[in-house]
Amino acid sequence: MTRYGPMYGPDHTFLGVPACDWQEPATYAEADVVILGAPFDGGTSHRPGARFGPQVLRGTDYLPHDASRPHLAMRVDALGGDLTVLDAGDLEVFSGDIQRSCDTIEDAVAFVASHGAIPLILGGDHTITWPDVSGVARHHGAGRISVIHFDAHADTGDIEFGSLYGHGQPMRRLIESGAVRGDRFLQLGLRGYWPGPDVLDWMADQGMTSFHMSEIVDRGLDAVLDQAFATALDGCDGVFLSVDIDVCDPGHAPGTGTPEPGGLTARQLLDSVSRICHELPVVGMDIVEVSPPYDHAEITAMLGNRVVLEALSGLARRRKDAGGPRWNRATPLLRDRGTQPPLASRDTPPSLSPRDRQRSLPPAES
């Protein structure tokens, strides 16, 4: 079953994009991306509340909800025509029944993917990545998609609290099921004091690549992303991007269930998501663990909303690049805009500082 708008709260789509019904393919026949809400937090091990994530991810923005967001740098409007983005509302899930909820999510994601759209799932806790990726893999083929996973935690536990299912185990279940190859599973941002050596040994045996924050700091985020990209594209047809908002330091994302100090900055996460969706063939995405009850001044909700927008803008820019020159991230904001002549033809050299410009003026007459 499906619902328009959030399962918890007012009826609205992501920043005003048109609604669709995932069970009726005719309603999204031309869509590039279909947004699905998965308001499930029955797998949390600490603080709940991520069931309210889809509601705030859709609506936390100080700009009009007018289905238009021109990206200043990338020069695309993913909501306003450079992509066709529709919102199918929230899936009807029950946080007291993990298996039923995961089955519902997987079936919906698989159905949307099989009808030509990229599913973008708003969580919910990280349990939902198990059905999210499984659903995409049902369409593209088991082992044919890689996963890039941003998180403070590996989420590769086996049995937690007597259960095989929960937000600390989805990545293990995915690899064990064969939906994803362990050696095409890339994790970035891990830190803290879990999991233990036995789980880390299991991860190593699967061939996983897991970048701890200390390695990212030492090598630099861009170098780590370059390595992840090369692995992700080796023998796979597409990439699933999973973003747990707790990959960021709690100072940048306090509204989450299991905060862990020492993570990425908001800027680093947004740049990474932008790069991934611009440079790689992304076939699915989720953003999870935004827990509004623990947020402050909408810091986490705003970041989560921007993660979605950066992803969509990256996808739109990738499409535009296919028909023209590739966008360069270093392009000055105002280059080739407006009607003024190029800076090089103006009287004052643009490279001069205000002090140098003052020195270059002729002396005042006495």
Side-chain angles (χ1 to χ4, degrees):
M1 299 180 66
T2 188
R3 304 168 70 100
Y4 289 113
M7 191 169 170
Y8 304 100
D11 185 354
H12 61 272
T13 62
F14 184 81
L15 300 182
V17 302
C20 68
D21 183 343
W22 72 264
Q23 298 174 101
E24 297 294 337
T27 66
Y28 56 93
E30 304 301 321
D32 300 300
V33 177
V34 169
I35 294 172
L36 294 161
F40 175 87
D41 63 6
T44 53
S45 58
H46 188 42
R47 306 191 306 197
R51 69 182 66 185
F52 305 114
Q55 176 185 357
V56 301
L57 289 169
R58 284 186 172 102
T60 303
D61 197 332
Y62 57 84
L63 295 170
H65 293 195
D66 57 0
S68 178
R69 285 297 182 274
H71 196 287
L72 295 178
M74 287 190 274
R75 306 185 185 201
V76 293
D77 188 344
L79 302 186
D82 288 314
L83 285 181
T84 300
V85 181
L86 304 179
D87 192 336
D90 282 353
L91 301 169
E92 198 163 74
V93 295
F94 176 49
S95 286
D97 191 336
I98 291 183
Q99 189 66 62
R100 189 187 88 185
S101 297
C102 287
D103 289 345
T104 297
I105 296 167
E106 181 178 338
D107 288 344
V109 170
F111 194 81
V112 168
S114 69
H115 286 88
I118 296 172
L120 196 163
I121 304 96
L122 310 178
D125 73 45
H126 223 153
T127 306
I128 71 166
T129 296
W130 172 38
D132 292 345
V133 178
S134 296
V136 173
R138 274 169 54 179
H139 171 60
H140 290 277
R144 300 306 306 166
I145 60 171
S146 58
V147 175
I148 297 181
H149 167 210
F150 284 85
D151 206 328
H153 311 98
D155 292 352
T156 48
D158 189 8
I159 299 175
E160 303 289 336
F161 304 104
S163 176
L164 289 168
Y165 312 123
H167 76 163
Q169 300 128 288
M171 311 317 170
R172 191 177 189 121
R173 301 287 89 90
L174 277 171
I175 293 171
E176 288 178 338
S177 73
V180 179
R181 293 167 48 180
D183 61 353
R184 294 298 176 269
F185 207 109
L186 297 307
Q187 301 181 309
L188 294 91
L190 304 188
R191 59 192 187 277
Y193 302 89
W194 183 91
D198 57 331
V199 175
L200 295 175
D201 288 344
W202 181 88
M203 293 164 60
D205 289 342
Q206 312 312 306
M208 297 178 69
T209 302
S210 302
F211 297 101
H212 191 272
M213 276 303 303
S214 60
E215 182 179 357
I216 293 173
V217 169
D218 185 69
R219 296 178 55 195
L221 181 56
D222 280 334
V224 166
L225 286 173
D226 289 342
Q227 179 182 338
F229 288 10
T231 302
L233 292 178
D234 184 9
C236 289
D237 303 322
V239 175
F240 189 100
L241 171 61
S242 184
V243 176
D244 185 328
I245 205 69
D246 75 20
V247 73
C248 285
D249 187 90
H252 295 248
T256 191
T258 48
E260 182 64 54
L264 297 178
T265 66
R267 181 71 264 159
Q268 287 175 312
L269 177 59
L270 294 175
D271 286 344
S272 298
V273 168
S274 173
R275 269 198 69 186
I276 289 165
C277 292
H278 178 218
E279 298 179 26
L280 302 180
V282 172
V283 294
M285 175 184 170
D286 62 25
I287 175 169
V288 300
E289 300 289 353
V290 173
S291 184
Y294 294 96
D295 207 2
H296 173 72
E298 300 181 308
I299 294 171
T300 315
M302 183 63 75
L303 175 58
N305 177 276
R306 272 17 187 186
V307 167
V308 175
L309 283 176
E310 287 296 309
L312 293 172
S313 297
L315 293 172
R317 187 67 248 180
R318 180 177 175 85
R319 167 176 287 187
K320 182 163 285 192
D321 285 354
R326 183 179 178 82
W327 174 68
N328 186 332
R329 300 180 69 84
T331 302
L333 178 64
L334 301 182
R335 176 176 291 172
D336 302 324
R337 297 180 186 266
T339 58
Q340 293 294 319
L343 285 174
S345 68
R346 300 185 196 176
D347 294 334
T348 303
S351 60
L352 295 181
S353 68
R355 178 178 295 178
D356 290 335
R357 290 175 187 169
Q358 184 66 32
R359 290 172 176 168
S360 69
L361 295 174
E365 295 182 5
S366 57

